[in-house]
Structure formats: C-alpha cells, structure tokens
Amino acid sequence: MSPKTLYDKIWDAHVAHEADDGTCLLYIDRHLVHEVTSPQAFEGLRMAGRKVRAPDRTIAVPDHNVPTTAGRENPEAMTEDSRVQVAALDRNAKDFGIHYYPVSDIRQGIVHIVGPEQGWTLPGMTVVCGDSHTATHGAFGALAHGIGTSEVEHVLATQTLIQKKSKNMKVEITGKLRPGVTAKDITLSVIGETGTAGGTGYVIEYCGEAIRDLSMEGRMTVCNMAIEGGARAGLIAPDETTFEYVKGRPHAPKGAQFEAALAWWKTLYSDDDAHWDKVITIRGEDIEPVVTWGTSPEDVLPISALVPSPEDFEGGKVEAAKRALDYMGLEPGQKLSDIEIDTVFIGSCTNGRIEDLRAAAEILKGKKIAVKRAMVVPGSGLVRAQAEEEGIADVFRDAGFEWRLAGCSMCLAMNPDQLTEYERCAATSNRNFEGRQGYKGRTHLVSPAMAAAAAVTGKLTDVREMM
Amino acid sequence: MEKFETLTGIAAPMPLVNIDTDMIIPKIFLKTIKRSGLGANLFDEMRFDRQGNEIADFVLNQTQYRETQILVAGDNFGCGSSREHAPWALADFGIKVVISTSFADIFYNNCFKNGMLPIVMPQEVVDVLMKDAEHGSNARMVVNLEEQTVTSSDGEVFSFEVDSFKKHCLLEGLDDIGLTMEKAASIDAFEAGAAQARPWV
Ligand code: SF4
C-alpha cells in the first residue's frame, strides 16, 4: 500500500461517493450547530420539506450571540436579535430532534469547546460546523472543516459534504519551547511565517516535539488558528495525550468499544515516507512570545520588536500596512512593549479553556489590573465551574477582572460585549480585523499569559519579565 | 438557484489586499435569521460613517459605480469567517462576480452556492482589469462562464479556470442538495459499512 498522510487516511475512510472529476461526498460523523449560521439552513429544510438525516450526530449550542452576564436565562435580559436567534435554535433543535445544550445548561459554551469536552469529537472523525474555527477539533486527529450556511443545510439534509481533496502541508515545530512561550505563540508565529493565505488549498498537519509536548488544550489552540493561515483544516496525530483526554468523556466510547476504537486510533498517523506538497519547519527555541500590531493575524511580531513601517513590505501589503497602522493608531519604530492597553479580554475558542485560565491566573495572583477594564469569559459552563473550584475565579475577581458566563462574547462582539471607538484591547482571541471587537476598536492578539501581563502593567508586556 | 448567464456589467476596483468578511458585512448585521436584505449594509463600515451618511470617496458610493456587478479586488479576498452573509450581501447588492489573485477557501465555495462566480486570475491580468475598472461605467466587462473568459472594455480577452462540476451547477442553476440526494444509495451503503467498521462513532 502506498504511504499516506494522516489526512489521506481520514479522508479515505469517509468517502461515500466519488465522481469522475474527483468531487467527493465526504460522510460527516459530527455536525455542530450554533444560532448564527444555522437559522437560514433550517428554514431551507422546512421550505423543501426535508428532514435532518442524522439527528443523533448533530449537536446544537447557542454561543455567538448570547449574553455573558448573570440572569441571561431570562429572555428579557437578551437584546431583541439574540432572543430571535436563540429562540430559533431552541425551536429547530426541538423540531428536528437534535442534541441541544441551552444557555441554562451548565454544559453550554463555545461550540468548539463543548464538542471536545463532551466527547463528541474523537480521533479519526469528520467534524463540521458553520464556523471557521471548526479547525480546533483537528487537535484530536479529526478532520474538521468550517462550512457556510448552504453547506450546513447540505449536511443536515444528507450528512455529507461536497469536497475535493486538499493538498498536504506539514508544519513541524522542532525541539522545546522556551519558558513563557505557549501554543498561542506557536500558532501566531506560523501565520507570521506563512501569511494568511499560505495555507490556502492545504490541510495542515502540525507535528514535531514541541507539538507532541503540548496538552490537548494547547493543541486545540494551535489547530484553532489553522484557518487564519488560510488552511482548510489543521490536524495533529492522536497519541497517549489524546486518548487520555478522550477517555471517560460523556459521549466517548466505553469498555470494549473504547478498546476497539483505540486500536483504530493508533493507526492514525502520517506514514514515514508519505508525500507532502509543502513543508515548513520552525525551531521551537526560536519562537518568542508574540503580539499582533496590525489588522490581520499575519501582522505578528515578537514582543521585543518595533512597530514596522509600510516600507518594510512589498506589493499590496504596503497599502494594507499603511491602513493597518492608521487604524491601529501606531507609529513605525514605536516599541511594541510601549503600547498602552485599555482593555483585556481573556476567552474565546482559541484560549477559553481551563489551562488558559490557569496560565493567566498564575501571572495575576496577588496583583491588581492597571487597565480600564478586564474580562474573563470562560469557554464553557464546565470550565467556569472548574475555575471556581480551583480558586482561579477568585484570583481574577481579586485582580479586578469581570468574571463572565460562557460564550463567544468579545471575540466577535455581536452581543453587547464590545470595544468602543479607539479602545485598545489585548485579546486572547483569534482575529484582529478592523471592527472585529467593536467599531474602530483596536485588537492586539496575545496568549493568556501575555494578556494577564498586559492587564497588570497597563501596556503590552513581555510576560517573561514577570515570571 | 438562478442560472448564471453571461454577464455584462460595470466593474469596480478594490485593490486592498485581505478584504475580510468583517469588512464585507460587519457582524452586527448577522443578527438576522433571513438571507435577504443584506446588500444595504455591504461594506458598511467603509461605506457609511457612524451617522449612516455615505462616505463619498468609497468606490461603491461614486455615481459611476452604483450599479456595480463585478468587483476587481486585491489578494486573498473573503478571508475570515465562514459566514455566508458575505456572499449574500454581495449578491443582494447586485455583485455577481469577484475577480482576484486569490480567495479564502470557504468564501470561494460559498459564492458558488449563491449563484456567484469568483474568478482567480494571475497578478498581471488582475492589474490590467483593475486599471480597466477604474474607468467606471464606461468600462463594461463581459464575463462568459461557458467560454470561461473575461473580456475587458477594450476587447482584450482573458481565460480563467473553474472546476467543471461547479461550472455545470452554476450554468444550470442546480441545487447541491437535490443532486446529492440522488446519490442516497451510496450514502446508505457507506453508513452501513461505517457502522460495522467503527461502531463507536
Ligand atoms: S469564540 Fe470567536 S472564533 Fe470562536 S467560535 Fe466564537 S466567535 Fe468564532
């Protein structure tokens, strides 16, 4: 048999139909649904008189547009549009008989955090969701695609996705990370290297010692941002760390089923002589804690660097850099570590897991914030409960952080959690686009530890100085 | 879905690179549970000031570009989120074709599901078409999907590549779901096999 990549193996195990031109119907094992990109899909089903083909493979949770403040179970507490979207999801989940975690359920949270937490996401699966950060689930060695609403409707109706196979790209992070460097710094550094279009047309497999050394939480952070590098999905081969995480989760297999699954999962790795269309290697030792200075995730630099000048770039990027500096209110040559911050946001599907909160709390212990406002939005109700139990919630509260309920919150600022004009935020989320966190708001993407450091000093700060 | 016929229309230049989905349709407009009506807020933060007044020098606000049907755009158009609201907003405004050197993957696919045609051209060609688009309403381009060509206003013809299946669906106005349902037997068979091989799923 010819050698295969991990992507090849999962792909081959899911092709339900292949046309002569290579267009495939890829069978979907898990379909995650949220309130913002699904209403039009369910509406389409109703209009055509169609059913959900596999309701027991379909899991819904409201997250993007829910309030993250106390008392939100009361519909009165929601803005009109949230209420409409959440009510639509309530009704669709009920009418079509799919698994559902309403806001009142402690298991509710960001869809990409809930899936793995509940054991819905398992190695070797195909997972889709109407959200680009579905790539997160690739951390389990699952092929996970973000899809548009038409595709959501297509998967609901047929449990398949029309796909052509992507190319294989390997991103290897060798050696060990230095202290203070985290999964977020890895994933941002990779985008800094490849650009936001560098992965277009590829599925990326992350490998190497530094990736192996990461916890599942860290691996999810890395894969989460594969999409920001343009890739169709990110993958990490499952190993003992993965199996340990999965074991005992509510929807993971049990007993003999688990053993059978494990036997297959252990075959899920790229063969030694598999073919790669593109390979990138980064030395783990070379990665520093990074921040973004512009309005694209590729605008990333080590915290020790200076704000670049548009002349440092070529082609269309010159104009884009000019525009970004103007939008961000920055001058070329300014030290990144001199940039003053108004607000700190810790949360999102990139960095809203327990490990992220622990890393931030480690820095915050016994300190007070020096920014105007700081908020933590745990990725799920269960993450929140665990943080309460570990005493982390108190560390945040004592430091002056708002301690919110689970949801996407200021990652995309659809609900009232928004930046005001020119407000400058250090955020652990994944997008620093213009207006992403609020009209004319300014976002610097960082790791949770770096966000905590910025909260304490009031400016972008090298977390290593505080360790 | 509407069939994609040959299109003769005004092209607008947007040379900015990395035009993302938040620029195309800011998320405050994602609160709808419908597909239609988003054109009014296309490029909202670039097109209107905070009071809702038009920003005069934004390209689609200029008289000659009000009827734009084709966008010629910078690299990596449509990056960012998977929201289909982006193509819905473009289509609702009347834009049926976007030409660029590259597109973000999900956006590219989403276009075809909405009767729109994203066209990838090499940098030299995009440069020529960008110049052509700067001529405003005097410059009508012709996009012929059948022939896979774009003709500039002065008659220069450029060919482009498009996936044959996607082309077929667009030309015929075919609905993906209906097509896939014709293959239900394959899906049933796959499901039965998978239940044997991976019963834990
Ligand atoms: S946290 Fe942000 S990136 Fe993640 S699913 Fe929510 S909106 Fe999308």
Side-chain angles (χ1 to χ4, degrees):
Chain A
M1 242 174 27
S2 59
K4 289 178 175 183
T5 63
L6 170 58
Y7 171 50
D8 297 338
K9 290 181 184 179
I10 305 175
W11 175 274
D12 290 350
H14 289 88
V15 176
H17 182 272
E18 179 162 1
D20 296 339
D21 70 344
T23 304
C24 291
L25 286 180
L26 202 60
Y27 191 81
I28 300 304
D29 294 324
R30 294 286 180 264
H31 185 189
L32 309 174
V33 173
H34 65 83
E35 80 281 21
V36 174
T37 55
S38 70
Q40 294 87 349
F42 285 110
E43 177 194 55
L45 286 189
R46 278 202 185 83
M47 277 161 51
R50 288 169 175 149
K51 293 196 310 238
V52 174
R53 181 179 164 112
D56 54 337
R57 296 173 183 277
T58 313
I59 300 102
V61 56
D63 58 359
H64 279 61
N65 197 12
V66 298
T68 57
T69 40
R72 64 178 179 177
E73 301 77 13
N74 177 4
E76 296 296 308
M78 294 192 191
T79 55
E80 170 66 17
D81 51 77
S82 312
R83 196 159 45 234
V84 169
Q85 286 185 330
V86 172
L89 191 63
D90 283 343
R91 186 168 71 106
N92 289 329
K94 192 155 148 275
D95 287 1
F96 291 95
I98 61 186
H99 299 278
Y100 188 46
Y101 302 103
V103 281
S104 55
D105 193 312
I106 189 165
R107 296 166 298 178
Q108 179 272 346
I110 303 169
V111 62
H112 307 309
I113 291 188
V114 173
E117 208 168 64
Q118 293 302 316
W120 290 115
T121 308
L122 300 172
M125 279 185 166
T126 46
V127 180
V128 296
C129 174
D131 180 278
S132 52
H133 293 97
T134 309
T136 312
H137 307 265
F140 291 79
L143 179 59
H145 290 303
I147 57 178
T149 298
S150 296
E151 289 172 317
V152 170
E153 187 178 339
H154 189 275
V155 177
L156 288 171
T158 69
Q159 207 54 32
T160 63
L161 186 66
I162 302 175
Q163 282 278 299
K164 270 199 174 163
K165 197 156 176 220
S166 307
K167 290 179 282 183
N168 279 292
M169 173 164 166
K170 172 158 104 170
V171 173
E172 187 177 14
I173 315 292
T174 61
K176 300 272 179 207
L177 298 180
R178 295 190 184 277
V181 178
T182 67
K184 183 66 165 288
D185 302 300
I186 295 181
T187 203
L188 280 169
S189 299
V190 170
I191 298 163
E193 186 95 8
T194 61
T196 47
T200 304
Y202 294 92
V203 164
I204 296 179
E205 181 176 339
Y206 300 93
C207 60
E209 189 184 351
I211 298 289
R212 287 275 138 247
D213 284 350
L214 293 174
S215 65
M216 282 319 293
E217 283 84 356
R219 294 180 189 186
M220 284 189 255
T221 303
V222 170
C223 288
N224 175 272
M225 292 194 72
I227 188 75
E228 251 55 64
R232 197 171 279 179
L235 282 172
I236 294 174
D239 59 9
E240 286 307 321
T241 306
T242 324
F243 309 143
E244 239 352 90
Y245 180 98
V246 165
K247 201 170 185 177
R249 302 262 155 197
H251 295 278
K254 310 265 176 325
Q257 290 270 27
F258 185 83
E259 294 310 317
L262 192 60
W264 187 59
W265 294 344
K266 288 187 170 167
T267 67
L268 298 175
Y269 53 82
S270 291
D271 297 329
D272 281 342
D273 33 9
H275 171 76
W276 300 97
D277 300 289
K278 190 167 172 178
V279 177
I280 286 186
T281 308
I282 296 178
R283 282 164 34 105
E285 293 83 0
D286 291 346
I287 301 177
E288 284 191 60
V290 291
V291 301
T292 61
W293 54 268
T295 54
S296 162
E298 72 190 15
D299 299 340
V300 64
L301 283 172
I303 177 71
S304 54
L306 307 178
V307 174
S309 150
E311 280 80 67
D312 300 345
F313 301 94
E314 290 171 4
K317 192 69 196 165
V318 177
E319 261 318 298
K322 247 185 233 163
R323 187 183 165 94
L325 289 177
D326 183 52
Y327 181 88
M328 294 296 291
L330 297 175
E331 295 297 331
Q334 210 176 337
K335 277 170 86 172
L336 287 169
S337 57
D338 281 344
I339 297 174
E340 290 187 7
I341 295 295
D342 304 307
T343 299
V344 169
F345 169 68
I346 296 178
S348 88
C349 60
T350 318
N351 286 127
R353 284 169 286 268
I354 190 70
E355 181 182 286
D356 303 312
L357 304 194
R358 285 185 195 134
E362 192 59 38
I363 303 293
L364 288 170
K365 216 176 272 169
K367 305 206 175 73
K368 294 276 181 225
I369 61 167
V371 286
K372 289 190 199 113
R373 59 170 172 158
M375 67 164 90
V376 199
V377 184
S380 72
L382 290 174
V383 169
R384 188 173 193 275
Q386 188 171 348
E388 295 270 8
E389 203 181 296
E390 292 181 16
I392 294 173
D394 288 329
V395 173
F396 282 113
R397 285 197 202 98
D398 294 347
F401 271 78
E402 290 172 47
W403 179 245
R404 298 290 192 105
L405 298 173
C408 294
S409 180
M410 209 193 260
C411 171
L412 91 165
M414 263 188 90
N415 69 3
D417 306 346
Q418 300 187 3
L419 297 180
T420 53
E421 282 182 49
Y422 311 119
E423 189 174 344
R424 191 181 292 283
C425 179
T428 65
S429 45
N430 46 42
R431 287 200 172 131
N432 52 350
F433 298 157
E434 289 181 17
R436 170 76 178 185
Q437 295 198 285
Y439 182 74
K440 295 226 190 282
R442 294 164 168 169
T443 302
H444 296 276
L445 301 177
V446 290
S447 73
M450 290 280 284
V456 171
T457 63
K459 50 186 194 156
L460 292 178
T461 299
D462 190 337
V463 66
R464 290 170 298 190
E465 292 163 11
M466 300 182 65
M467 289 168 52
Chain B
M1 207 167 68
E2 226 178 290
K3 291 185 184 183
F4 188 100
E5 315 264 337
T6 295
L7 176 77
T8 305
I10 297 170
M14 284 192 82
L16 195 64
V17 300
N18 296 334
I19 293 182
D20 60 64
T21 49
D22 280 85
M23 291 186 193
I24 298 172
I25 184 84
K27 73 252 150 196
I28 47 166
F29 303 108
L30 309 191
K31 297 177 171 182
T32 167
I33 55 168
K34 303 216 164 54
R35 289 174 197 246
S36 55
L38 289 162
N41 303 102
L42 176 70
F43 294 118
D44 197 83
E45 290 178 4
M46 299 160 102
R47 206 164 129 211
F48 304 105
D49 66 18
R50 253 314 153 78
Q51 286 68 47
N53 303 314
E54 287 189 0
I55 296 170
D57 59 0
F58 181 68
V59 58
L60 298 181
N61 288 336
Q62 297 165 21
T63 332
Q64 68 271 34
Y65 292 114
R66 294 205 172 252
E67 307 286 311
T68 294
Q69 288 181 284
I70 302 166
L71 269 192
V72 187
D75 217 17
N76 199 26
F77 188 88
C79 59
S81 90
S82 65
R83 65 184 69 149
E84 206 154 320
H85 307 67
W88 292 339
L90 286 161
D92 192 59
F93 182 90
I95 293 171
K96 297 204 69 180
V97 172
V98 184
I99 302 172
S100 176
T101 47
S102 67
F103 291 89
D105 217 43
I106 303 178
F107 175 84
Y108 185 82
N109 280 320
N110 280 343
C111 284
F112 288 96
K113 318 268 179 207
N114 292 284
M116 291 169 61
L117 176 63
I119 300 178
V120 180
M121 289 283 201
Q123 188 71 54
E124 316 84 78
V125 176
V126 172
D127 290 346
V128 172
L129 295 175
M130 190 73 76
K131 270 258 159 310
D132 196 40
E134 283 163 12
H135 299 132
S137 48
N138 300 325
R140 283 178 193 259
M141 287 185 198
V142 182
V143 178
N144 186 327
L145 176 57
E146 184 67 60
E147 304 280 325
Q148 298 182 209
T149 56
V150 176
T151 309
S152 73
S153 63
D154 41 17
E156 230 182 316
V157 182
F158 303 97
S159 346
F160 61 86
E161 296 290 322
V162 57
D163 177 86
S164 55
F165 176 70
K166 291 195 166 92
K167 173 178 172 180
H168 172 70
C169 291
L170 214 50
L171 283 172
E172 301 299 327
L174 293 175
D175 152 30
D176 278 351
I177 297 180
L179 282 172
T180 299
M181 284 190 150
E182 288 172 9
K183 303 189 187 96
S186 305
I187 303 173
D188 291 343
F190 178 89
E191 223 166 37
Q196 291 282 323
R198 296 188 294 277
W200 62 84
V201 174

